[in-house]
Every structure is written in C-alpha cells, then in structure tokens.
Amino acid sequence: MKETWRWFGPKDPISLQHIKQAGATGIVTSLHHIKTGEVWPIADILERKKMIEDNGLEWAVIESIPLHNDIKTRTGNYQQLIENYKQSIRNVGTAGVYDVCYNFMPVVDWTRTNLTYTLPNNAQALRFEMSDFAAYDVYILKRPGAETSYKPEVLAKAKTRLDAMSNEEKTLLEKNIIAGLPGGEGSYDRDGIRAAIDQFIKMGDAGMRANLFAFLREIIPIAEEAGVRMAIHPDDPPFSLFGLPRVVSTADDARALLNAAPRPANGLTLCAGSYGARCDNDLVAMAREFGERIYFVHLRNIKREDDGSFFESDHLDGDNDMVGLIDALLDEEQRRQQAGVKLPAISMRPDHGHLMGDDLGKTGMNPGYSYTGRMKGLAELRGVIHALTTLRERSLRV
Ligand code: DNO
C-alpha cells in the first residue's frame, strides 16, 4: 500500500520534511486557494506538484476537488460549473496526478460536535454526540420539525445537555457544527445554514441521488480520457443530519453509484471511520466486494454507542476490524499486480489522530490533523501492513 499523509498546503503547520520523517511517501492535498467551482489552472497544479517532489515525496491523491452546491442541487449555473469541473479533471490528469477524492454531502461536510474529547490518557479525540447535535438542531437552530428526526430518549438527553450548557459552550457547539472543519466545504452562520438546509431538504434522497448520478454520467467519461480515477468519499457521519438527504452512507449506496457509471474511473474512497460509524456496514465485506474500484482508503477507527454517537479511537482499538480490512485490501493489490493493472497500489492515509504529546496546547493544529497522533496511527498501521505482507511472502515461499 502507498502510505500517504494529508497536507493542507503551504499554510499547514506540519512541513513536508516532517511528513517524510513520519515515513509517508505520498501526499494527499488540494489547492485550497482555488475557490470552489473555479477551474484548477495547470500552472498551479504543477507548482504544487513540484513543491511536493522537491521534498522527495509524490502527490498521490487530490483530496478534494470540491463540488459546488449548485452541482449538487442542479440549480443556478450548474452546467458551467460541471464544465469547469471537467476542465479541472483534464488539467490534473495532464499534470500527472491521477486519483481524485470528492464527496456529495449536502450542506455540511464532515461533522463533529466535540473537537477536544478527553480520553482517559488525557489525549484528545474528535467526537460526534447525537444528543448534542439534536440540542443544536432542535433548540438552538430551531429547525422546523427537527424533533421528528430524533428518538425520544435522544431528545430528552438533548434537553438535559442544553440546560447544562453555558452560553460559551453553546457558541462552541454551533461553531463546531456549522463553521466547517479542516478540508471541509461550507462555512455558515445561523441564517446561512437555514437557507442551505431549505434548499437541499426538499430534494429528498431520490432527488439527491439522481443529481449525483447525472454528475457521474458527465464526469466519468472525461476522467477516463484524462486517466484520472474518481474516488467518492462517503458521508461522515453516514446518516442524515438536519433531516437532509444522504446518498453515500451504506454498501447499497456504494453499489448503486458504481453501477450508475460502471467504468473503472468511477471509484470509491473507503473511509473506514465514516462507513464504520454504522454497525450495518461490514467494512471487510465492502472491501472484498468493491475492491476493484477502491482507489483510496482512510484508515481510522471509532467506538460506536447505541444512539449513533461515536468517538475516534486509536487506529487499532475500536469497532472496526482494521486487520481484516487491510488484509482484504492487500489481496486486492495482489490481484491488481497479477492482472498487470496500471497503478496497482492503493493509497492509504492514517485518517485523523489524537491530539497528544507535544502537540497538546500548540496553537494552529488542524483538528484531527496534528502531527504526533497521526504519526502514531501511521506507525501502527504500517506494522499491520508489514506483518500481513511478510506472512504472504512466507507462505508463497513454502
Ligand atoms: C475528514 C475528511 C473530509 C474529506 C472530504 C472529502 O477528515 O475525511 O475532509 O476529506 O469530505 O471530500
């Protein structure tokens, strides 16, 4: 597997040299300075690629070329925006970067309620607490009909949580949910998010899915021509938020979207932490079923709770079968090598890490994307990859 690391570009407090020291060989990044919807100029892509290569690394995956909301709703200037997206895909292919991650989440990108959840060892993790989310949705945002989205016990807990929150805590909760997390799309204030929710909620799952498939039917042929593989990132978390449609949350969703444009350029990002936040998603089975079309993996673990809440646990300690997942991905890589597939390696990155060690208390760390926690995650995952690969080689020799 190709060991990669997400880097937020020249403004990232973590340098390319430090990433190299952590042992990664590939960089996952985006041109964050280009506004969503605009064409990525070749010159900018090449400049970023050179910066990465000058440090002895490779630009392995683009995460992400974000989709403008108008493409998701097929309103406004969406046709021009799709043309722009096609041009960006052609340009990245010309520049020699071949894997593109993107997502089709409505309104909010990845979402957590608590960015400093303290673990028993005093490191900090990211957490999604269903009752806090409900408290925000029902009592602070006051979305019409929001109560119907939650179970009575979640609503009861939400009210208790809300009553115990100071004004500062309420402000922080709102910021965590709607102001946008690193690499995510969409930063709103309260009125802005209300308007965005109104726009998307009426589409329902069927409307949202139809728009995603329409986008794929236009983009996939262009990606194929450009030698680029599109790898859609699942909804994070993989269930409806604010009553909004969600169409990339389950194995059925993944199957339907792969079938909507059944070409090799139409692929998946298997984000273990996102799909894995639902107990009905069997990650190992998904890796085996969709293996051929998985181009990028986010290896992250979580501990789930009954009401849909979860926190991000250590990479090898959680509800996800990380060893089984890596084993399935290594089998797929072996299959590609034997079949002579171009670019057989699957890029993995340690997704998120705890805020720990010297990073605690440092300013400017991107939530989930500090140095030491991810380095620990990468080292643990590398150990699993190394052990499984060694065992495979030995069994071949016998
Ligand atoms: C969170 C990430 C997301 C993801 C985008 C993909 O850590 O997984 O930011 O990169 O949603 O488009």
Side-chain angles (χ1 to χ4, degrees):
M1 292 180 105
K2 196 180 288 172
E3 294 175 16
T4 71
W5 184 281
R6 190 176 202 178
W7 181 61
F8 289 107
K11 289 195 186 135
D12 194 317
I14 295 155
S15 68
L16 290 169
Q17 277 309 300
H18 282 177
I19 296 173
K20 209 167 147 56
Q21 286 163 17
T25 57
I27 290 295
V28 172
T29 194
S30 178
L31 297 183
H32 295 288
H33 62 280
I34 310 276
K35 252 180 76 194
T36 299
E38 283 174 10
V39 176
W40 281 28
I42 287 225
D44 293 43
I45 306 166
L46 288 174
E47 188 192 340
R48 180 62 54 85
K49 191 165 175 259
K50 182 170 182 311
M51 195 184 289
I52 294 168
E53 288 170 358
D54 284 349
N55 282 276
L57 294 156
E58 171 205 0
W59 189 350
V61 183
I62 294 172
E63 183 175 2
S64 304
I65 304 185
L67 264 72
H68 194 282
N69 273 348
D70 287 356
I71 298 183
K72 298 180 191 168
T73 52
R74 282 180 99 77
T75 58
N77 209 11
Y78 75 92
Q79 274 144 334
Q80 183 58 48
L81 290 163
I82 293 180
E83 288 312 310
N84 291 355
Y85 203 97
K86 288 182 186 166
Q87 194 54 46
S88 297
I89 296 295
R90 290 190 192 100
N91 290 354
V92 298
T94 305
V97 192
Y98 301 115
D99 284 321
V100 174
C101 173
Y102 68 106
N103 75 71
F104 214 77
M105 289 183 245
V107 187
V108 278
D109 204 296
W110 66 295
T111 304
R112 301 288 182 271
T113 56
N114 185 350
L115 310 183
T116 54
Y117 177 66
T118 304
L119 300 166
N121 64 4
N122 284 327
Q124 294 175 356
L126 307 184
R127 173 171 169 84
F128 182 88
E129 164 71 43
M130 188 61 93
S131 56
D132 282 2
F133 191 86
Y136 177 70
D137 191 13
V138 177
Y139 300 111
I140 301 177
L141 185 64
K142 300 191 172 67
R143 177 172 65 85
E147 340 42 80
T148 59
S149 298
Y150 305 95
K151 293 193 185 123
E153 51 281 21
V154 170
L155 281 177
K157 194 170 164 204
K159 187 71 179 59
T160 314
R161 304 268 305 182
L162 182 89
D163 291 344
M165 274 181 219
S166 64
N167 283 339
E168 289 73 39
E169 284 167 332
K170 287 180 195 162
T171 307
L172 180 62
L173 177 64
E174 174 161 63
K175 181 169 173 278
N176 289 346
I177 296 175
I178 69 175
L181 293 174
E185 269 295 291
S187 175
Y188 301 91
D189 58 15
R190 210 176 287 176
D191 286 338
I193 199 144
R194 283 196 181 113
I197 291 172
D198 280 352
Q199 201 196 6
F200 275 88
I201 208 162
K202 46 183 184 267
M203 287 164 55
D205 280 359
M208 186 80 181
R209 190 169 279 124
N211 292 358
L212 168 59
F213 293 177
F215 170 74
L216 289 175
R217 282 192 285 267
E218 290 197 59
I219 286 297
I220 295 304
I222 305 296
E224 190 161 309
E225 258 170 51
V228 169
R229 304 184 294 194
M230 301 294 294
I232 196 166
H233 187 283
D235 307 321
D236 181 6
F239 42 75
S240 173
L241 297 178
F242 298 123
L244 291 164
R246 284 297 220 196
V247 295
V248 195
S249 293
T250 63
D252 284 346
D253 291 340
R255 198 173 296 120
L257 88 89
L258 292 177
N259 289 336
R263 305 292 308 168
N266 181 23
L268 305 176
T269 294
L270 188 73
C271 177
S274 302
Y275 282 119
R278 287 178 76 108
C279 57
D280 55 350
N281 280 335
D282 178 340
L283 290 175
V284 179
M286 288 173 79
R288 298 218 175 266
E289 177 179 349
F290 305 127
E292 224 178 318
R293 308 274 278 281
I294 294 171
Y295 301 125
F296 185 30
V297 286
H298 289 178
L299 295 178
R300 172 158 71 76
N301 223 326
I302 37 120
K303 282 208 173 139
R304 293 185 295 259
E305 291 158 38
D306 289 342
D307 64 0
S309 307
F310 60 87
F311 74 91
E312 302 188 357
S313 52
D314 277 316
H315 286 77
L316 298 185
D317 172 34
D319 293 319
N320 288 341
D321 175 5
M322 204 54 87
V323 174
L325 176 59
I326 292 174
D327 194 37
L329 294 165
L330 290 175
D331 280 348
E332 169 56 19
E333 275 191 335
Q334 206 172 24
R335 187 201 65 77
R336 291 181 194 183
Q337 273 145 6
Q338 282 159 2
V341 171
K342 203 176 139 208
L343 310 172
I346 300 177
S347 292
M348 65 71 101
R349 68 173 176 82
D351 195 18
H352 306 174
H354 294 157
L355 192 69
M356 58 180 286
D358 285 347
D359 288 341
L360 274 166
K362 259 192 204 159
T363 50
M365 286 286 123
N366 286 306
Y369 290 96
S370 55
Y371 186 61
T372 316
R374 276 190 293 167
M375 185 163 64
K376 178 182 173 206
L378 179 58
E380 291 181 354
L381 295 165
R382 179 184 298 136
V384 174
I385 297 169
H386 182 76
L388 291 175
T389 310
T390 307
L391 290 174
R392 277 175 167 69
E393 286 164 3
R394 283 194 191 148
S395 71
L396 281 179
R397 258 185 263 129
V398 177

